[in-house]
Amino acid sequence: MIRVRDDLRALEGYHSPQVDVDVRLNTNESPFGPPPSFVTALAEAVGSIAWNRYPDRRAERLRAGIAALHGVDAANVFVANGSNEVIQTLLLAYGGPGRTVLTFEPSYQMHAQIARVTGAKVVGWPRSDDFTLDPVSARQAIAEHRPAVAFLTSPNNPTGHADGPDVLDALVADGDTLVVVDEAYAEFGRWSAIERITEDAPIVVLRTFSKTWSMAAARLGYLVGPVEVVRALETAVLPYHLDAVTQVAGELALRHIDEMNERVRLVVEERAEVASGLAVLGCRVVDSSANFILFEPPVAGEDPAGADRVWSGLVQHGVLVRNCSGWPGLAGWLRVTIGTNEENRRFLNALSEVLDER
Ligand SMILES: *Cc1c(COP(=O)(O)O)cnc(C)c1O
């Protein structure tokens, strides 16, 4: 009889329910499609791909474009199928059996999930009650557990909170831990750890085209870090893992930086509107540096199932948000992705009605 690994059987997959409703604000995608000129250029480029040939194994043009965007060398850039594949490749190279991976909870669940699937031991160190991370506490986590890899999600998902450079300094202090700063939402925030990348510091930064770049369907993410780390990832990853379409999609997207910045600006503007709308409805709101907001509807304090009922009520009104209430440390909290102006208004109206119906 076939038998899956015992440790794997204990794990559950990470899935946001895909409910078919009008207003989908549950997975932090961009509410805007990419610019039409991008779609036209991509269709044309797909027509001239040499389909009988393997793609460029090193994705030279795409890496050069990303390197130029950040003012680093192409040798400092690793590209993959979403930042999720970057995470997996990092953990194949630096995690694995006998090693410890540190996360700061609550945070993005894929770090712990992929670390476990690739055989490492995972330690989830708690953040403060207000979801910030005290540098002294971060340093203590490193000293106590001596992890091979530590993940810092900043701006954090699902809280939207951004950690400062002082936290990063605390994490790299002993020099034996590879510190992975997951910046899937950095464009919506103010500070980036990319400025700290050098050949000598054990810091890498992850970025994705899934959120800011309106390209979740393409699966493209990347890492910026020391050449030594990029080389290790190239050893661990499958050959020809990034197909020709994804490569060219990334190259073409990089020619639309102005439109991308405009989309970010619109989302940040809407975020302020949604935050004040939530406050007016009596919700507790975490200050967000990302394209979503974590909020606690006023019911939840008295009733642990209150947030679940608000979530279901919203679905009945055709609005899907993320129910974080069952996650450790997040009882009572929901997360809403910032949508278009119309979607946000529909969300706030629906929430108002659901809260009135109680
Ligand atoms: C959405 C998200 C990603 C994106 O993963 P991709 O594989 O690039 O789509 C990565 N990290 C965090 C924290 C996220 O929220």
Side-chain angles (χ1 to χ4, degrees), residues 14 27-29 80-87 107-111 153-158 182-185 206-211 215-216 219-222 291-292 335:
Y14 167 90
T27 42
N28 300 345
E29 293 137 319
N81 292 283
S83 36
N84 278 209
E85 194 190 22
V86 181
I87 294 164
S107 189
Y108 185 53
Q109 297 180 354
M110 287 311 296
H111 301 143
T153 315
S154 181
N156 195 13
N157 178 7
D182 188 336
E183 291 195 345
Y185 304 98
L206 311 187
R207 291 285 183 95
T208 178
F209 281 71
S210 295
K211 312 286 160 62
M215 270 175 58
R219 309 303 301 127
L220 180 59
Y222 61 92
N291 67 341
F292 55 83
R335 187 193 71 194

Short mmCIF file of all heavy atoms in Angstrom, two decimals, residues 14 27-29 80-87 107-111 153-158 182-185 206-211 215-216 219-222 291-292 335, ligand 1:
data_model
loop_
_atom_site.label_atom_id
_atom_site.label_comp_id
_atom_site.label_asym_id
_atom_site.label_seq_id
_atom_site.Cartn_x
_atom_site.Cartn_y
_atom_site.Cartn_z
N TYR A 14 -3.08 25.25 2.05
CA TYR A 14 -3.44 26.65 2.32
C TYR A 14 -4.32 27.11 1.18
O TYR A 14 -3.89 27.23 0.05
CB TYR A 14 -2.15 27.47 2.37
CG TYR A 14 -2.30 28.98 2.33
CD1 TYR A 14 -2.44 29.71 3.52
CD2 TYR A 14 -2.26 29.67 1.13
CE1 TYR A 14 -2.53 31.08 3.48
CE2 TYR A 14 -2.35 31.06 1.09
CZ TYR A 14 -2.48 31.75 2.28
OH TYR A 14 -2.55 33.11 2.24
N THR A 27 -8.19 37.87 -1.86
CA THR A 27 -6.83 37.35 -2.10
C THR A 27 -5.81 38.42 -2.48
O THR A 27 -4.75 38.10 -3.02
CB THR A 27 -6.84 36.22 -3.16
OG1 THR A 27 -7.72 36.60 -4.23
CG2 THR A 27 -7.30 34.90 -2.59
N ASN A 28 -6.12 39.68 -2.19
CA ASN A 28 -5.14 40.77 -2.34
C ASN A 28 -4.61 40.97 -3.75
O ASN A 28 -3.51 41.48 -3.94
CB ASN A 28 -3.95 40.56 -1.38
CG ASN A 28 -4.39 40.54 0.07
OD1 ASN A 28 -5.50 40.96 0.39
ND2 ASN A 28 -3.53 40.05 0.95
N GLU A 29 -5.40 40.55 -4.73
CA GLU A 29 -5.01 40.85 -6.11
C GLU A 29 -5.27 42.33 -6.39
O GLU A 29 -5.98 43.01 -5.66
CB GLU A 29 -5.87 40.03 -7.09
CG GLU A 29 -5.62 38.54 -7.03
CD GLU A 29 -6.92 37.75 -7.09
OE1 GLU A 29 -7.91 38.17 -6.43
OE2 GLU A 29 -6.96 36.72 -7.79
N ALA A 80 11.27 33.33 -10.56
CA ALA A 80 10.61 32.03 -10.46
C ALA A 80 9.10 32.18 -10.63
O ALA A 80 8.59 33.28 -10.83
CB ALA A 80 10.92 31.39 -9.12
N ASN A 81 8.42 31.05 -10.57
CA ASN A 81 6.96 31.01 -10.74
C ASN A 81 6.28 31.52 -9.46
O ASN A 81 5.86 30.74 -8.61
CB ASN A 81 6.50 29.58 -11.04
CG ASN A 81 6.97 29.14 -12.41
OD1 ASN A 81 6.42 29.52 -13.43
ND2 ASN A 81 8.04 28.35 -12.44
N GLY A 82 6.16 32.81 -9.35
CA GLY A 82 5.59 33.41 -8.16
C GLY A 82 6.62 33.45 -7.05
O GLY A 82 7.60 32.68 -7.08
N SER A 83 6.43 34.34 -6.07
CA SER A 83 7.40 34.32 -4.96
C SER A 83 7.25 33.02 -4.18
O SER A 83 8.17 32.62 -3.48
CB SER A 83 7.30 35.54 -4.07
OG SER A 83 6.00 35.98 -3.91
N ASN A 84 6.14 32.32 -4.34
CA ASN A 84 6.01 31.01 -3.68
C ASN A 84 7.09 30.04 -4.15
O ASN A 84 7.65 29.29 -3.35
CB ASN A 84 4.63 30.40 -3.94
CG ASN A 84 3.57 30.96 -2.99
OD1 ASN A 84 2.61 30.29 -2.67
ND2 ASN A 84 3.74 32.19 -2.50
N GLU A 85 7.42 30.06 -5.45
CA GLU A 85 8.50 29.17 -5.90
C GLU A 85 9.86 29.66 -5.42
O GLU A 85 10.76 28.85 -5.17
CB GLU A 85 8.50 28.99 -7.43
CG GLU A 85 9.39 27.81 -7.82
CD GLU A 85 9.67 27.67 -9.32
OE1 GLU A 85 9.54 28.65 -10.07
OE2 GLU A 85 10.04 26.54 -9.73
N VAL A 86 10.00 30.98 -5.29
CA VAL A 86 11.25 31.50 -4.71
C VAL A 86 11.39 30.97 -3.28
O VAL A 86 12.46 30.51 -2.87
CB VAL A 86 11.30 33.04 -4.72
CG1 VAL A 86 12.62 33.52 -4.13
CG2 VAL A 86 11.09 33.60 -6.12
N ILE A 87 10.30 31.03 -2.52
CA ILE A 87 10.32 30.56 -1.12
C ILE A 87 10.68 29.08 -1.07
O ILE A 87 11.52 28.64 -0.29
CB ILE A 87 8.93 30.80 -0.46
CG1 ILE A 87 8.65 32.30 -0.34
CG2 ILE A 87 8.84 30.11 0.90
CD1 ILE A 87 7.18 32.64 -0.06
N SER A 107 1.37 35.65 10.47
CA SER A 107 1.96 36.10 9.21
C SER A 107 1.49 35.19 8.08
O SER A 107 0.62 34.35 8.27
CB SER A 107 3.48 36.10 9.32
OG SER A 107 4.05 36.72 8.20
N TYR A 108 2.10 35.38 6.93
CA TYR A 108 1.75 34.64 5.71
C TYR A 108 2.01 33.15 5.93
O TYR A 108 3.14 32.75 6.22
CB TYR A 108 2.62 35.19 4.59
CG TYR A 108 2.36 34.66 3.22
CD1 TYR A 108 1.08 34.68 2.67
CD2 TYR A 108 3.41 34.16 2.45
CE1 TYR A 108 0.86 34.22 1.38
CE2 TYR A 108 3.20 33.72 1.15
CZ TYR A 108 1.93 33.75 0.63
OH TYR A 108 1.72 33.30 -0.64
N GLN A 109 0.98 32.34 5.79
CA GLN A 109 1.08 30.94 6.20
C GLN A 109 1.95 30.08 5.27
O GLN A 109 2.38 28.99 5.65
CB GLN A 109 -0.32 30.34 6.30
CG GLN A 109 -1.13 31.04 7.38
CD GLN A 109 -2.53 30.47 7.53
OE1 GLN A 109 -2.96 29.64 6.75
NE2 GLN A 109 -3.24 30.95 8.52
N MET A 110 2.19 30.56 4.06
CA MET A 110 2.97 29.74 3.12
C MET A 110 4.42 29.55 3.56
O MET A 110 5.05 28.56 3.21
CB MET A 110 2.93 30.33 1.71
CG MET A 110 1.61 30.16 0.99
SD MET A 110 0.95 28.48 1.04
CE MET A 110 2.20 27.60 0.12
N HIS A 111 4.97 30.50 4.32
CA HIS A 111 6.36 30.33 4.77
C HIS A 111 6.48 29.06 5.61
O HIS A 111 7.33 28.21 5.35
CB HIS A 111 6.83 31.55 5.57
CG HIS A 111 6.77 32.84 4.79
ND1 HIS A 111 6.41 34.03 5.35
CD2 HIS A 111 7.00 33.11 3.48
CE1 HIS A 111 6.45 34.99 4.44
NE2 HIS A 111 6.79 34.45 3.29
N THR A 153 7.82 39.18 7.06
CA THR A 153 6.89 39.67 6.04
C THR A 153 6.59 41.12 6.35
O THR A 153 5.99 41.42 7.38
CB THR A 153 5.59 38.84 6.05
OG1 THR A 153 5.92 37.47 6.13
CG2 THR A 153 4.79 39.11 4.79
N SER A 154 7.02 42.01 5.49
CA SER A 154 6.85 43.43 5.76
C SER A 154 6.68 44.21 4.46
O SER A 154 7.59 44.20 3.63
CB SER A 154 8.06 43.96 6.54
OG SER A 154 7.89 45.33 6.82
N PRO A 155 5.54 44.88 4.28
CA PRO A 155 4.35 44.88 5.11
C PRO A 155 3.82 43.46 5.32
O PRO A 155 3.87 42.64 4.41
CB PRO A 155 3.35 45.71 4.31
CG PRO A 155 4.19 46.57 3.40
CD PRO A 155 5.41 45.77 3.11
N ASN A 156 3.34 43.22 6.54
CA ASN A 156 2.92 41.87 6.89
C ASN A 156 1.55 41.53 6.30
O ASN A 156 0.71 42.40 6.11
CB ASN A 156 2.88 41.75 8.42
CG ASN A 156 2.82 40.32 8.90
OD1 ASN A 156 3.03 39.38 8.15
ND2 ASN A 156 2.51 40.14 10.18
N ASN A 157 1.36 40.28 5.99
CA ASN A 157 0.06 39.73 5.61
C ASN A 157 -0.31 38.73 6.69
O ASN A 157 0.49 37.84 6.96
CB ASN A 157 0.19 39.05 4.24
CG ASN A 157 -1.09 38.39 3.77
OD1 ASN A 157 -2.13 38.55 4.40
ND2 ASN A 157 -1.02 37.64 2.70
N PRO A 158 -1.43 38.82 7.36
CA PRO A 158 -2.63 39.58 7.01
C PRO A 158 -2.83 40.91 7.75
O PRO A 158 -3.92 41.45 7.70
CB PRO A 158 -3.74 38.61 7.45
CG PRO A 158 -3.21 38.00 8.71
CD PRO A 158 -1.73 37.88 8.48
N ASP A 182 9.96 39.24 3.01
CA ASP A 182 8.93 39.06 1.98
C ASP A 182 8.22 40.40 1.79
O ASP A 182 7.44 40.83 2.63
CB ASP A 182 7.96 37.96 2.40
CG ASP A 182 6.97 37.60 1.29
OD1 ASP A 182 6.73 38.45 0.40
OD2 ASP A 182 6.45 36.47 1.31
N GLU A 183 8.52 41.04 0.66
CA GLU A 183 7.96 42.38 0.38
C GLU A 183 6.93 42.32 -0.73
O GLU A 183 6.93 43.16 -1.64
CB GLU A 183 9.10 43.35 0.01
CG GLU A 183 10.01 43.70 1.18
CD GLU A 183 10.90 44.91 0.90
OE1 GLU A 183 11.02 45.31 -0.27
OE2 GLU A 183 11.46 45.45 1.86
N ALA A 184 6.02 41.37 -0.65
CA ALA A 184 4.97 41.26 -1.67
C ALA A 184 4.17 42.56 -1.79
O ALA A 184 3.59 42.84 -2.84
CB ALA A 184 4.03 40.09 -1.33
N TYR A 185 4.15 43.36 -0.70
CA TYR A 185 3.32 44.57 -0.69
C TYR A 185 4.14 45.85 -0.56
O TYR A 185 3.59 46.91 -0.23
CB TYR A 185 2.30 44.49 0.46
CG TYR A 185 1.46 43.24 0.36
CD1 TYR A 185 1.76 42.11 1.10
CD2 TYR A 185 0.39 43.19 -0.54
CE1 TYR A 185 1.00 40.94 0.97
CE2 TYR A 185 -0.36 42.04 -0.66
CZ TYR A 185 -0.05 40.92 0.09
OH TYR A 185 -0.79 39.78 -0.05
N LEU A 206 12.11 39.44 -1.22
CA LEU A 206 11.20 38.82 -2.20
C LEU A 206 10.20 39.84 -2.69
O LEU A 206 9.64 40.61 -1.91
CB LEU A 206 10.42 37.66 -1.58
CG LEU A 206 11.17 36.60 -0.80
CD1 LEU A 206 10.22 35.46 -0.44
CD2 LEU A 206 12.33 36.07 -1.62
N ARG A 207 9.97 39.81 -3.99
CA ARG A 207 8.94 40.66 -4.60
C ARG A 207 8.10 39.79 -5.54
O ARG A 207 8.53 38.71 -5.95
CB ARG A 207 9.57 41.79 -5.41
CG ARG A 207 10.29 42.85 -4.56
CD ARG A 207 9.29 43.75 -3.87
NE ARG A 207 9.93 44.82 -3.12
CZ ARG A 207 10.14 46.05 -3.58
NH1 ARG A 207 9.79 46.37 -4.81
NH2 ARG A 207 10.70 46.97 -2.82
N THR A 208 6.92 40.29 -5.90
CA THR A 208 6.05 39.52 -6.78
C THR A 208 5.36 40.43 -7.79
O THR A 208 5.17 41.62 -7.53
CB THR A 208 4.99 38.77 -5.96
OG1 THR A 208 4.12 38.07 -6.85
CG2 THR A 208 4.15 39.71 -5.10
N PHE A 209 5.01 39.85 -8.94
CA PHE A 209 4.20 40.57 -9.92
C PHE A 209 2.71 40.32 -9.66
O PHE A 209 1.86 40.81 -10.39
CB PHE A 209 4.55 40.11 -11.34
CG PHE A 209 5.81 40.73 -11.89
CD1 PHE A 209 7.05 40.36 -11.39
CD2 PHE A 209 5.76 41.68 -12.90
CE1 PHE A 209 8.22 40.93 -11.88
CE2 PHE A 209 6.92 42.26 -13.40
CZ PHE A 209 8.15 41.88 -12.89
N SER A 210 2.39 39.54 -8.62
CA SER A 210 0.99 39.13 -8.41
C SER A 210 0.10 40.24 -7.88
O SER A 210 -1.10 40.21 -8.07
CB SER A 210 0.94 37.96 -7.43
OG SER A 210 1.56 36.82 -7.95
N LYS A 211 0.66 41.21 -7.15
CA LYS A 211 -0.18 42.18 -6.47
C LYS A 211 -0.12 43.52 -7.20
O LYS A 211 -1.00 43.87 -7.96
CB LYS A 211 0.27 42.32 -5.01
CG LYS A 211 0.46 40.97 -4.30
CD LYS A 211 -0.84 40.29 -3.95
CE LYS A 211 -0.75 38.80 -3.69
NZ LYS A 211 0.08 38.37 -2.60
N MET A 215 -0.74 41.04 -12.16
CA MET A 215 -0.35 39.87 -12.97
C MET A 215 -0.38 38.57 -12.18
O MET A 215 0.44 37.68 -12.40
CB MET A 215 1.06 40.09 -13.54
CG MET A 215 1.04 40.77 -14.89
SD MET A 215 2.71 41.14 -15.46
CE MET A 215 3.45 39.52 -15.46
N ALA A 216 -1.37 38.42 -11.29
CA ALA A 216 -1.43 37.20 -10.49
C ALA A 216 -1.56 35.96 -11.38
O ALA A 216 -1.08 34.88 -11.04
CB ALA A 216 -2.60 37.27 -9.50
N ARG A 219 1.96 34.19 -12.60
CA ARG A 219 2.87 33.51 -11.68
C ARG A 219 4.31 33.96 -11.91
O ARG A 219 5.10 33.25 -12.55
CB ARG A 219 2.77 31.97 -11.79
CG ARG A 219 1.37 31.39 -11.71
CD ARG A 219 0.64 31.78 -10.43
NE ARG A 219 1.37 31.33 -9.26
CZ ARG A 219 1.70 32.15 -8.25
NH1 ARG A 219 1.38 33.42 -8.26
NH2 ARG A 219 2.34 31.67 -7.20
N LEU A 220 4.64 35.12 -11.42
CA LEU A 220 6.02 35.61 -11.54
C LEU A 220 6.43 36.33 -10.26
O LEU A 220 5.76 37.28 -9.82
CB LEU A 220 6.14 36.55 -12.75
CG LEU A 220 7.54 37.14 -13.00
CD1 LEU A 220 8.57 36.04 -13.23
CD2 LEU A 220 7.50 38.07 -14.22
N GLY A 221 7.51 35.86 -9.68
CA GLY A 221 8.06 36.50 -8.49
C GLY A 221 9.57 36.48 -8.58
O GLY A 221 10.15 35.81 -9.45
N TYR A 222 10.24 37.23 -7.70
CA TYR A 222 11.70 37.24 -7.77
C TYR A 222 12.33 37.56 -6.43
O TYR A 222 11.65 37.97 -5.49
CB TYR A 222 12.18 38.20 -8.85
CG TYR A 222 11.81 39.66 -8.67
CD1 TYR A 222 12.66 40.55 -8.01
CD2 TYR A 222 10.61 40.15 -9.18
CE1 TYR A 222 12.33 41.88 -7.87
CE2 TYR A 222 10.27 41.49 -9.03
CZ TYR A 222 11.12 42.35 -8.37
OH TYR A 222 10.77 43.67 -8.23
N ASN A 291 -2.18 46.52 0.38
CA ASN A 291 -3.40 46.76 -0.40
C ASN A 291 -4.61 46.04 0.20
O ASN A 291 -5.49 45.58 -0.51
CB ASN A 291 -3.20 46.34 -1.87
CG ASN A 291 -3.03 44.84 -2.02
OD1 ASN A 291 -2.70 44.15 -1.06
ND2 ASN A 291 -3.25 44.32 -3.22
N PHE A 292 -4.57 45.91 1.53
CA PHE A 292 -5.69 45.29 2.25
C PHE A 292 -5.73 45.86 3.65
O PHE A 292 -4.79 46.55 4.07
CB PHE A 292 -5.52 43.76 2.31
CG PHE A 292 -4.20 43.34 2.90
CD1 PHE A 292 -4.02 43.27 4.26
CD2 PHE A 292 -3.12 43.06 2.08
CE1 PHE A 292 -2.79 42.93 4.82
CE2 PHE A 292 -1.88 42.71 2.61
CZ PHE A 292 -1.72 42.64 3.98
N ARG A 335 -10.11 40.19 6.90
CA ARG A 335 -9.20 40.98 6.06
C ARG A 335 -9.88 41.30 4.74
O ARG A 335 -10.42 40.39 4.08
CB ARG A 335 -7.92 40.18 5.79
CG ARG A 335 -6.83 40.96 5.07
CD ARG A 335 -5.73 40.05 4.55
NE ARG A 335 -6.23 39.27 3.43
CZ ARG A 335 -5.62 38.21 2.91
NH1 ARG A 335 -4.48 37.79 3.43
NH2 ARG A 335 -6.14 37.56 1.90
C1 LIG B 1 0.38 37.28 -2.09
C2 LIG B 1 1.67 37.04 -1.38
C3 LIG B 1 2.74 36.50 -2.05
C4 LIG B 1 2.60 36.20 -3.50
O1 LIG B 1 2.98 34.97 -3.89
P1 LIG B 1 3.10 34.69 -5.45
O2 LIG B 1 3.52 33.28 -5.45
O3 LIG B 1 4.14 35.64 -5.95
O4 LIG B 1 1.77 34.94 -6.07
C5 LIG B 1 3.94 36.33 -1.39
N1 LIG B 1 4.08 36.69 -0.10
C6 LIG B 1 3.07 37.23 0.59
C7 LIG B 1 3.27 37.67 1.98
C8 LIG B 1 1.83 37.41 -0.03
O5 LIG B 1 0.81 37.91 0.66
#
